[in-house]
């Protein structure tokens, strides 16, 4: 198996009450696992099987892209969360203030774009090649990697990400997400740009 | 039950004689639990009362204060390219959601299942290789739709049947086809009972397809299509 699903970086019940154990079980054990399984089947015997996952995401299209990007996006999404959350600090807080006016403005913009994204997809905080930060709502499996931008933070707004716990109430899910953001991970991503 | 083909807007007088275009949520033509065990009551309740109602609200907001005449939502979708640009996206998404769900409720029934009869059965034989082959085609279209969307049995402007799939809430009417049966593939349509198992949901929904209602839509659509020729 060329691509392996990384372990969830916290216990299945660690994000309660934001996400239930059942919600995370389906999301990680079923959806995320299936993208890896599908991807491995699709790339068998092909050059993609020898590439790093990010390269497959950048270079592929169609079903290989869909499964590779969803495999990568979900691994990134798990890393964006940790029990307890916190607040952005240092360079990250300064960059958010520089490009959005304030941390609160940034959160407001990302919340709005995540709530309004129509259909399945992801809301991203990304850095463009000049280091400017922006919020990108992207449909289905699409990712900033495909647009030459560096992902810093993401919220999964496929209905499967929240339907067990929130049903149609996506705004409540997005609001709760802010309580579990792993800002150290976001800052690390910014430092690597 | 389930015989209304067009979802007509309700016009109502407000402030004197001014007529406004107002769309309303059609009632579900059966109880929430009527499609159990194939589609669960809680899913039906949220799907109709929250998701579909949300599309109706969104559509009404989008067309509020605009002089568009008194088109049905289906007519708005068929004319999507001629609408003012600033309302095209909300009519496509919200109007599509309203029209698609309005159709969806009426082609399901607790007395459904089995196979189509009469003209529709013959047309499936003639144009899509028979019912079993149609079922395979639409199942493949449904499982192949990545993300949110719909799989359809539609009638083309020539009167020919076609299996197709659209993303999100895009309606086949946007490209001139008339849907007569749809499978909602948004996760909200099946997640509470089937979670990630879309294939099980698609298999189960065949137990509640109301082929009389689909046959009636086919008959009426053919009549409209022939009238235009």
């Amino acid at each position: 198996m060329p691509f392996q699903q990384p372990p969830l970086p916290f216990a299945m019940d660690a994000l309660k009450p934001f996400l239930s154990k059942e919600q995370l079980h389906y999301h990680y054990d079923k959806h995320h696992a299936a993208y890896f399984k599908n991807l491995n089947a699709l790339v068998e015997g092909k050059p993609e099987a020898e590439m790093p996952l990010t390269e497959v995401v950048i270079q592929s299209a169609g079903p290989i892209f869909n499964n590779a990007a969803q495999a990568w996006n979900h691994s990134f999404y798990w890393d964006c969360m940790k029990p307890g959350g916190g607040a952005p600090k240092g360079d990250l807080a300064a960059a958010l203030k520089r490009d959005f006016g304030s941390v609160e403005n940034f959160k407001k913009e990302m919340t709005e774009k995540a709530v309004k994204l129509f259909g399945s997809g992801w809301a991203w905080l990304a850095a463009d090649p000049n280091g400017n930060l922006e919020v990108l709502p992207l449909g289905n499996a699409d990712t900033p990697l495909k647009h030459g931008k560096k992902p810093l933070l993401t919220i999964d707004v496929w209905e499967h990400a929240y339907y067990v716990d929130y049903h149609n109430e996506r705004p409540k899910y997005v609001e709760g997400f802010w309580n579990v953001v792993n800002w150290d991970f976001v800052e690390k991503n910014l430092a690597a740009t | 039950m389930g015989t209304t083909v067009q979802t007509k807007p309700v016009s109502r007088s407000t402030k004197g004689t001014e007529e406004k275009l107002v769309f309303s949520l059609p009632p579900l033509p059966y109880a929430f639990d009527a499609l159990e065990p194939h589609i669960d009551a809680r899913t039906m309740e949220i799907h109709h009362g929250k998701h579909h109602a949300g599309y109706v609200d969104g559509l009404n907001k989008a067309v509020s204060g605009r002089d568009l005449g008194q088109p049905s939502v289906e007519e708005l979708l068929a004319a999507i390219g001629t609408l003012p640009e600033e309302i095209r996206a909300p009519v496509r998404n919200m109007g599509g959601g309203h029209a698609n769900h309005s159709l969806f409720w009426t082609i399901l029934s607790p007395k459904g299942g089995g196979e189509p009869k009469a003209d529709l059965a013959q047309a499936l034989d003639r144009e899509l290789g028979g019912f079993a082959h149609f079922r395979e085609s639409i199942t493949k279209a449904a499982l192949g739709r990545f993300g949110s969307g719909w799989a359809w049995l539609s009638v083309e402007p020539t009167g020919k049947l076609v299996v197709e799939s659209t993303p999100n809430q895009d309606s086949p009417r946007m490209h001139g086809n008339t849907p007569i049966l749809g499978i909602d593939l948004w996760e909200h349509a099946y997640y509470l009972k089937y979670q990630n198992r879309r294939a099980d949901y698609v298999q189960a929904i065949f137990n509640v397809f109301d082929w009389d209602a689909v046959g009636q839509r086919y008959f009426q659509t053919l009549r409209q299509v022939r009238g235009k020729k």
Side-chain angles (χ1 to χ4, degrees):
Chain A
M1 287 300 138
F3 300 106
Q4 288 208 334
Q5 184 184 19
L8 200 61
F10 36 75
M12 205 69 86
D13 60 357
L15 297 183
K16 287 200 297 187
F18 169 57
L19 295 177
S20 67
K21 189 175 174 179
E22 191 192 3
Q23 177 72 66
L24 273 173
H25 158 65
Y26 285 116
H27 204 177
Y28 177 84
D29 291 328
K30 302 294 180 183
H31 293 279
H32 195 200
Y35 293 125
F36 276 94
K37 192 178 161 212
N38 295 341
L39 175 63
N40 284 326
L42 287 164
V43 301
E44 201 183 332
K46 297 195 174 141
E48 287 93 338
E50 310 300 323
M51 294 177 188
L53 184 56
T54 50
E55 274 308 303
V56 180
V57 171
I58 290 163
Q59 295 190 17
S60 64
I64 293 184
F65 169 75
N66 286 341
N67 285 285
Q70 286 296 82
W72 191 91
N73 293 350
H74 282 90
S75 301
F76 187 83
Y77 169 67
W78 312 134
D79 283 336
C80 285
M81 298 186 285
K82 73 166 191 187
K89 301 184 300 262
D91 290 349
L92 174 62
L96 289 172
K97 197 174 170 195
R98 181 193 69 214
D99 292 338
F100 296 94
S102 69
V103 171
E104 278 317 300
N105 281 355
F106 152 68
K107 283 162 83 169
K108 203 177 143 201
E109 183 178 333
M110 186 139 166
T111 297
E112 197 176 300
K113 287 185 171 167
V115 167
K116 284 196 173 160
L117 193 155
F118 193 71
S120 304
W122 303 76
W124 300 86
L125 172 67
D128 74 12
N130 298 321
N132 298 316
L133 307 193
E134 59 187 324
V135 175
L136 299 172
L138 298 175
N140 289 342
D142 199 6
T143 145
L145 293 175
K146 205 70 179 167
H147 303 270
K149 291 169 184 174
K150 171 93 183 157
L152 305 181
L153 171 70
T154 195
I155 308 176
D156 187 350
V157 291
W158 282 60
E159 287 175 323
H160 69 229
Y162 59 86
Y163 216 79
V164 171
D165 290 341
Y166 297 91
H167 303 144
N168 59 303
E169 297 188 282
R170 188 191 289 183
K172 282 193 183 165
Y173 157 74
V174 174
E175 190 188 317
F177 175 80
W178 296 113
N179 298 322
V180 299
V181 174
N182 182 353
W183 293 104
D184 292 340
F185 177 70
V186 184
E187 176 137 24
K188 201 184 82 190
N189 294 330
L190 178 67
T193 57
Chain B
M1 186 181 76
T3 53
T4 311
V5 169
Q6 298 282 318
T7 309
K8 287 287 182 194
V10 178
S11 23
R12 72 177 183 213
S13 294
T14 53
K15 292 182 188 170
T17 58
E18 189 189 348
E19 285 283 312
K20 276 199 171 176
L21 184 59
V22 179
F23 296 94
S24 60
L25 180 67
L28 202 61
Y30 33 73
F32 291 133
D33 64 358
L35 305 180
E36 294 264 15
H38 309 294
I39 302 181
D40 62 287
R42 187 83 176 111
T43 292
M44 291 302 290
E45 187 179 357
I46 299 171
H47 200 176
H48 179 263
K50 303 290 183 184
H51 291 281
H52 188 173
Y55 294 125
V56 173
D57 288 348
L59 177 61
N60 281 328
K61 279 193 191 112
V63 299
S64 159
R66 291 191 176 261
D67 184 15
L68 298 167
Q70 292 292 319
S72 66
V73 66
E74 289 82 4
E75 287 164 342
L76 280 178
L77 292 164
I80 191 86
T82 68
L83 296 178
E85 201 174 334
E86 64 274 18
I87 65 166
R88 272 181 219 167
V91 168
R92 176 182 177 180
N93 292 340
M94 300 294 132
H98 176 36
N100 296 340
H101 286 90
S102 297
L103 164 70
F104 188 57
W105 311 131
T106 65
I107 53 103
L108 303 176
S109 164
K111 293 180 189 138
E115 295 193 12
K117 294 186 284 269
D119 288 357
L120 179 58
Q122 286 167 21
L124 286 173
D125 283 345
R126 195 172 59 235
E127 295 167 14
L128 295 177
F131 177 73
H133 193 260
F134 153 73
R135 183 172 173 154
E136 257 175 55
S137 305
I138 199 167
T139 298
K140 196 175 165 202
L143 302 186
R145 166 56 53 195
F146 184 72
S148 301
W150 291 75
W152 304 100
L153 174 63
S154 303
V155 180
E156 293 181 334
T158 57
K160 194 176 181 302
L161 289 170
V162 62
V163 169
E164 60 183 332
S165 168
T166 56
N168 293 335
Q169 294 294 354
D170 285 0
S171 164
R173 290 178 190 273
M174 287 167 50
H175 52 261
N177 289 351
T178 304
I180 59 170
L181 173 144
I183 305 178
D184 189 346
L185 303 169
W186 284 58
E187 288 170 322
H188 68 230
Y190 58 85
Y191 210 81
L192 297 183
K193 184 172 172 73
Y194 297 96
Q195 295 87 32
N196 59 305
R197 303 185 311 280
R198 184 189 283 186
D200 291 353
Y201 156 72
V202 171
Q203 192 177 343
I205 203 167
F206 274 84
N207 295 313
V208 288
F209 278 143
D210 182 347
W211 290 110
D212 289 340
V214 179
Q216 196 166 1
R217 278 179 184 273
Y218 177 61
F219 176 74
Q220 288 173 359
T221 305
L222 273 192
R223 212 163 52 175
Q224 283 163 8
V225 161
R226 284 172 185 157
K228 278 180 195 163
K229 273 185 186 169

